[in-house]
PDB file of all heavy atoms in Angstrom:
ATOM      1  N   GLN A  45      18.943   9.663  11.351  1.00  0.00           N
ATOM      2  CA  GLN A  45      18.361  10.586  12.327  1.00  0.00           C
ATOM      3  C   GLN A  45      17.080  10.053  12.954  1.00  0.00           C
ATOM      4  O   GLN A  45      16.779  10.345  14.106  1.00  0.00           O
ATOM      5  CB  GLN A  45      18.097  11.938  11.661  1.00  0.00           C
ATOM      6  CG  GLN A  45      19.368  12.596  11.202  1.00  0.00           C
ATOM      7  CD  GLN A  45      19.122  13.795  10.305  1.00  0.00           C
ATOM      8  OE1 GLN A  45      17.993  14.219  10.086  1.00  0.00           O
ATOM      9  NE2 GLN A  45      20.199  14.347   9.776  1.00  0.00           N
ATOM     10  N   VAL A  46      16.330   9.292  12.196  1.00  0.00           N
ATOM     11  CA  VAL A  46      15.055   8.746  12.677  1.00  0.00           C
ATOM     12  C   VAL A  46      14.841   7.388  12.012  1.00  0.00           C
ATOM     13  O   VAL A  46      15.253   7.176  10.876  1.00  0.00           O
ATOM     14  CB  VAL A  46      13.883   9.729  12.401  1.00  0.00           C
ATOM     15  CG1 VAL A  46      13.643   9.922  10.931  1.00  0.00           C
ATOM     16  CG2 VAL A  46      12.620   9.316  13.096  1.00  0.00           C
ATOM     17  N   SER A  47      14.217   6.460  12.753  1.00  0.00           N
ATOM     18  CA  SER A  47      14.006   5.119  12.204  1.00  0.00           C
ATOM     19  C   SER A  47      12.524   4.787  12.155  1.00  0.00           C
ATOM     20  O   SER A  47      11.748   5.198  13.021  1.00  0.00           O
ATOM     21  CB  SER A  47      14.754   4.077  13.040  1.00  0.00           C
ATOM     22  OG  SER A  47      14.350   4.136  14.397  1.00  0.00           O
ATOM     23  N   LEU A  48      12.158   4.035  11.121  1.00  0.00           N
ATOM     24  CA  LEU A  48      10.781   3.593  10.906  1.00  0.00           C
ATOM     25  C   LEU A  48      10.754   2.071  10.860  1.00  0.00           C
ATOM     26  O   LEU A  48      11.700   1.444  10.373  1.00  0.00           O
ATOM     27  CB  LEU A  48      10.234   4.112   9.575  1.00  0.00           C
ATOM     28  CG  LEU A  48      10.394   5.590   9.221  1.00  0.00           C
ATOM     29  CD1 LEU A  48       9.836   5.852   7.827  1.00  0.00           C
ATOM     30  CD2 LEU A  48       9.702   6.465  10.235  1.00  0.00           C
ATOM     31  N   LEU A  49       9.676   1.501  11.325  1.00  0.00           N
ATOM     32  CA  LEU A  49       9.492   0.058  11.252  1.00  0.00           C
ATOM     33  C   LEU A  49       8.002  -0.214  11.087  1.00  0.00           C
ATOM     34  O   LEU A  49       7.165   0.487  11.677  1.00  0.00           O
ATOM     35  CB  LEU A  49      10.014  -0.606  12.536  1.00  0.00           C
ATOM     36  CG  LEU A  49      10.193  -2.117  12.526  1.00  0.00           C
ATOM     37  CD1 LEU A  49      11.192  -2.570  11.461  1.00  0.00           C
ATOM     38  CD2 LEU A  49      10.651  -2.595  13.895  1.00  0.00           C
ATOM     39  N   ALA A  50       7.680  -1.229  10.303  1.00  0.00           N
ATOM     40  CA  ALA A  50       6.273  -1.579  10.053  1.00  0.00           C
ATOM     41  C   ALA A  50       5.689  -2.365  11.222  1.00  0.00           C
ATOM     42  O   ALA A  50       6.311  -3.314  11.725  1.00  0.00           O
ATOM     43  CB  ALA A  50       6.164  -2.405   8.770  1.00  0.00           C
ATOM     44  N   LEU A  51       4.496  -1.980  11.646  1.00  0.00           N
ATOM     45  CA  LEU A  51       3.780  -2.708  12.685  1.00  0.00           C
ATOM     46  C   LEU A  51       3.591  -4.165  12.270  1.00  0.00           C
ATOM     47  O   LEU A  51       3.704  -5.076  13.092  1.00  0.00           O
ATOM     48  CB  LEU A  51       2.422  -2.051  12.959  1.00  0.00           C
ATOM     49  CG  LEU A  51       1.541  -2.762  13.981  1.00  0.00           C
ATOM     50  CD1 LEU A  51       2.190  -2.730  15.362  1.00  0.00           C
ATOM     51  CD2 LEU A  51       0.158  -2.149  14.016  1.00  0.00           C
ATOM     52  N   GLU A  52       3.349  -4.389  10.999  1.00  0.00           N
ATOM     53  CA  GLU A  52       3.118  -5.741  10.502  1.00  0.00           C
ATOM     54  C   GLU A  52       4.337  -6.641  10.737  1.00  0.00           C
ATOM     55  O   GLU A  52       4.189  -7.837  11.039  1.00  0.00           O
ATOM     56  CB  GLU A  52       2.766  -5.695   9.000  1.00  0.00           C
ATOM     57  CG  GLU A  52       1.447  -5.015   8.701  1.00  0.00           C
ATOM     58  CD  GLU A  52       1.477  -3.479   8.666  1.00  0.00           C
ATOM     59  OE1 GLU A  52       2.551  -2.862   8.879  1.00  0.00           O
ATOM     60  OE2 GLU A  52       0.408  -2.891   8.424  1.00  0.00           O
ATOM     61  N   ASP A  53       5.548  -6.082  10.629  1.00  0.00           N
ATOM     62  CA  ASP A  53       6.761  -6.863  10.888  1.00  0.00           C
ATOM     63  C   ASP A  53       6.913  -7.160  12.382  1.00  0.00           C
ATOM     64  O   ASP A  53       7.350  -8.251  12.758  1.00  0.00           O
ATOM     65  CB  ASP A  53       7.992  -6.129  10.349  1.00  0.00           C
ATOM     66  CG  ASP A  53       8.020  -6.102   8.821  1.00  0.00           C
ATOM     67  OD1 ASP A  53       7.583  -7.089   8.199  1.00  0.00           O
ATOM     68  OD2 ASP A  53       8.468  -5.085   8.263  1.00  0.00           O
ATOM     69  N   ILE A  54       6.554  -6.198  13.222  1.00  0.00           N
ATOM     70  CA  ILE A  54       6.586  -6.430  14.674  1.00  0.00           C
ATOM     71  C   ILE A  54       5.591  -7.535  15.031  1.00  0.00           C
ATOM     72  O   ILE A  54       5.896  -8.430  15.827  1.00  0.00           O
ATOM     73  CB  ILE A  54       6.261  -5.132  15.447  1.00  0.00           C
ATOM     74  CG1 ILE A  54       7.359  -4.091  15.216  1.00  0.00           C
ATOM     75  CG2 ILE A  54       6.099  -5.432  16.941  1.00  0.00           C
ATOM     76  CD1 ILE A  54       7.035  -2.702  15.750  1.00  0.00           C
ATOM     77  N   GLU A  55       4.400  -7.504  14.419  1.00  0.00           N
ATOM     78  CA  GLU A  55       3.379  -8.514  14.707  1.00  0.00           C
ATOM     79  C   GLU A  55       3.846  -9.914  14.316  1.00  0.00           C
ATOM     80  O   GLU A  55       3.549 -10.887  15.016  1.00  0.00           O
ATOM     81  CB  GLU A  55       2.061  -8.153  14.013  1.00  0.00           C
ATOM     82  CG  GLU A  55       1.390  -6.963  14.683  1.00  0.00           C
ATOM     83  CD  GLU A  55       0.167  -6.447  13.954  1.00  0.00           C
ATOM     84  OE1 GLU A  55      -0.001  -6.735  12.745  1.00  0.00           O
ATOM     85  OE2 GLU A  55      -0.630  -5.730  14.603  1.00  0.00           O
ATOM     86  N   LYS A  56       4.604 -10.039  13.218  1.00  0.00           N
ATOM     87  CA  LYS A  56       5.155 -11.350  12.832  1.00  0.00           C
ATOM     88  C   LYS A  56       6.121 -11.854  13.895  1.00  0.00           C
ATOM     89  O   LYS A  56       6.155 -13.043  14.206  1.00  0.00           O
ATOM     90  CB  LYS A  56       5.855 -11.257  11.475  1.00  0.00           C
ATOM     91  CG  LYS A  56       4.921 -11.169  10.308  1.00  0.00           C
ATOM     92  CD  LYS A  56       5.680 -11.054   9.009  1.00  0.00           C
ATOM     93  CE  LYS A  56       4.747 -10.680   7.884  1.00  0.00           C
ATOM     94  NZ  LYS A  56       5.467 -10.289   6.663  1.00  0.00           N
ATOM     95  N   MET A  57       6.930 -10.956  14.463  1.00  0.00           N
ATOM     96  CA  MET A  57       7.877 -11.344  15.506  1.00  0.00           C
ATOM     97  C   MET A  57       7.164 -11.717  16.805  1.00  0.00           C
ATOM     98  O   MET A  57       7.700 -12.483  17.613  1.00  0.00           O
ATOM     99  CB  MET A  57       8.890 -10.225  15.762  1.00  0.00           C
ATOM    100  CG  MET A  57       9.952 -10.092  14.694  1.00  0.00           C
ATOM    101  SD  MET A  57      11.033 -11.533  14.547  1.00  0.00           S
ATOM    102  CE  MET A  57      11.866 -11.507  16.129  1.00  0.00           C
TER     103      MET A  57
END
Side-chain angles (χ1 to χ4, degrees):
Q45 297 169 5
V46 65
S47 57
L48 311 177
L49 193 60
L51 177 65
E52 294 81 0
D53 290 325
I54 295 171
E55 288 173 341
K56 285 179 192 168
M57 285 296 295

